[in-house]
Amino acid sequence: MQKVWIYLENGTFLEAKSFGATGTAVGEIVFNTSLTGYQEIISDPSYAGQFITFTMPEIGNVGVNADDMESKTAYCKGVLVRNYHHEHSNYRSEGDLDSFLKEHGVLGITAIDTRYLTKLIRDEGAMMMIASTEISDREELAEKLAQSPRIEDINYIKEVSTKEAYVHKNGAWNHENKAYNKAVMSDKKVVVIDFGVKRNILNELVESGLEVEVVPATFKAEDLIARFEAKEIGGIFLSNGPGDPLTLTEEKKEVQKLINTDIPIFAICLGHQMLSIAHGHDTYKLPFGQHGGNHPVANPESMVVEITAQNHNYNVPDSIVEIAEITHKNLFDGTIEGVKYKNKEIFSVQHHPEASPGPHESKYIFDEFAKIVK
């Protein structure tokens, strides 16, 4: 392992050891509290432009494998871990994390106090940082960071979204034939607008009996509306994705056209935020976001508690109650986690019901969507 130097925009300067890719990268540092699933987290497109600090101290011990990829590559800038384990042991493992990060161009940082970093982010909020295996001078790193664009100034959707439409056939655990045949026989087809969709979301949509077509974020609402009216599709799903939703001005215009129709719509994470913005209720940035697999969420009326996985820095405002019913709330900070829009077949959640955090989960939401698809 060679040395790596880290500089945070609050002036913190640290030295650590590196694994994975080498070079210099700039991004926003956040922390994730999940105890397992580091490969799914690293390959989640919603982390584009970010450094992920893992609060779980032991990372790398179960290796990596092709089935646990949430996208075709890893879009995050880097990962920070307390202890990296090159030796791995798991019956599903196909390789080590070090080689994986090198393959996907992601910096790995270890032998660093992740507890200190987590408390720093918690107290001061998510912030921009630079990490380099090439530059050791503090002032040079500070200057380079100051000259770099901030994460909210970059549209990462262009990077993570598919360029061509395609049909997704896998169900949960890659049971392709059984799940897809069930979906085709159901005669219910949905279009997924890809802002950075996770593969497990697509798997769960298929598993719930829906035929799934994925289209780029550059979609045109008129085309989808025409297909709905022609009964070619019966619903639309707006996916998760990275970055500040308020920068997606063109996408907002297209979503506004969709919500003024009778098309059933379901959305997760960024899609949830886009629906709020399209309805005239702009999102706001949380101090350090919600990133982890252990967040309790409850229905305000029934108070049934679900354990959810989360990955977001932005949230819908309380003013959304003017046009929507709140279906889920975060029990950690009281923020809105799910809404159903009044007089419309449109609903959305902020958390990730596909992520299987256990023990009481939210996968039923996919079945609820399947029921209202035409």
Side-chain angles (χ1 to χ4, degrees):
M1 291 184 184
Q2 63 186 95
K3 290 183 179 180
V4 58
W5 294 271
I6 302 102
Y7 181 82
L8 278 62
E9 67 175 316
N10 71 345
T12 301
F13 179 61
L14 303 167
E15 179 184 302
K17 294 180 179 180
S18 80
F19 65 103
T22 56
T24 302
V26 174
E28 181 181 52
I29 183 172
V30 297
F31 65 84
N32 185 294
T33 58
S34 294
L35 298 180
T36 60
Y38 59 78
Q39 184 184 347
E40 294 95 327
I41 294 166
I42 294 169
S43 60
D44 182 347
S46 294
Y47 278 109
Q50 293 180 320
F51 285 89
I52 309 164
T53 304
F54 285 97
T55 60
M56 173 61 182
E58 314 295 333
I59 298 293
N61 52 323
V62 296
V64 296
N65 66 77
D67 288 339
D68 287 347
M69 290 294 290
E70 288 289 4
S71 60
K72 62 184 179 181
T73 187
Y75 296 100
C76 63
K77 294 293 185 176
V79 297
L80 298 96
V81 307
R82 181 66 186 93
N83 298 316
Y84 165 64
H85 293 269
H86 188 72
E87 298 297 325
H88 49 92
S89 177
N90 185 278
Y91 75 100
R92 298 176 65 240
S93 179
E94 298 171 352
D96 60 85
L97 182 59
D98 176 49
S99 300
F100 174 85
L101 295 184
K102 287 176 180 174
E103 177 185 353
H104 296 284
V106 176
L107 286 173
I109 300 169
T110 187
I112 191 168
D113 190 344
T114 51
R115 180 175 175 82
Y116 164 76
L117 287 173
T118 300
K119 292 172 68 176
L120 183 67
I121 298 167
R122 182 194 65 190
D123 295 341
E124 300 189 27
M127 64 187 77
M128 296 297 291
M129 67 163 272
I130 183 171
S132 179
T133 59
E134 307 162 318
I135 305 170
S136 60
D137 182 74
R138 174 177 181 157
E139 298 307 317
E140 186 177 351
L141 287 171
E143 182 179 357
K144 191 172 182 65
L145 178 61
Q147 294 173 350
S148 300
R150 300 184 64 82
I151 190 169
E152 56 264 27
D153 298 327
I154 303 172
N155 184 345
Y156 280 105
I157 304 299
K158 296 178 180 178
E159 180 181 344
V160 303
S161 179
T162 182
K163 302 300 184 288
E164 301 289 340
Y166 64 93
V167 174
H168 182 85
K169 296 185 178 182
N170 285 347
W173 292 103
N174 297 319
H175 296 157
E176 177 174 336
N177 293 333
K178 180 180 177 181
Y180 185 65
N181 290 340
K182 173 186 173 185
V184 172
M185 289 177 64
S186 77
D187 198 30
K188 288 189 173 186
K189 182 173 183 177
V190 297
V191 166
V192 172
I193 298 172
D194 180 14
F195 296 127
V197 70
K198 292 172 63 180
R199 284 180 179 170
N200 265 330
I201 289 178
L202 300 178
N203 293 346
E204 292 297 338
L205 288 170
V206 172
E207 197 72 22
S208 67
L210 297 171
E211 188 177 352
V212 173
E213 178 185 345
V214 185
V215 301
T218 53
F219 76 100
K220 294 301 177 185
E222 290 85 353
D223 296 338
L224 299 184
I225 294 170
R227 293 182 65 186
F228 177 76
E229 293 175 345
K231 299 184 178 181
E232 294 179 11
I233 61 173
I236 291 174
F237 175 80
L238 307 182
S239 87
N240 61 292
D244 186 347
L246 291 177
T247 65
L248 307 178
T249 54
E250 293 303 315
E251 293 84 351
K252 168 189 171 182
K253 294 176 183 177
E254 299 303 314
V255 173
Q256 283 177 324
K257 297 174 185 176
L258 294 177
I259 63 177
N260 290 319
T261 69
D262 296 326
I263 304 176
I265 300 175
F266 171 41
I268 289 175
C269 204
L270 179 70
H272 164 77
Q273 298 160 11
M274 289 297 297
L275 282 175
S276 177
I277 294 169
H279 280 91
H281 295 262
D282 286 352
T283 53
Y284 64 95
K285 190 169 186 177
L286 295 165
F288 49 83
Q290 306 279 17
H291 310 276
N294 48 10
H295 290 248
V297 164
N299 181 302
E301 292 187 1
S302 68
M303 287 308 293
V304 172
V305 177
E306 302 161 18
I307 302 302
T308 69
Q310 310 250 349
N311 179 22
H312 62 105
N313 273 11
Y314 300 88
N315 221 74
V316 303
D318 291 341
S319 63
I320 198 74
V321 296
E322 298 171 7
I323 58 170
E325 169 193 352
I326 297 177
T327 58
H328 300 82
K329 270 205 167 187
N330 191 306
L331 295 183
F332 279 160
D333 61 5
T335 53
I336 296 171
E337 289 285 345
V339 298
K340 184 182 184 308
Y341 288 86
K342 298 175 182 177
N343 304 317
K344 296 181 179 181
E345 288 187 312
I346 301 176
F347 69 100
S348 61
V349 292
Q350 182 61 72
H351 53 276
H352 284 264
E354 82 289 345
S356 304
H360 300 289
E361 302 170 347
S362 310
K363 287 188 178 181
Y364 67 88
I365 294 175
F366 292 101
D367 292 331
E368 288 188 354
F369 178 49
K371 289 176 183 178
I372 66 171
V373 172
K374 307 298 182 185

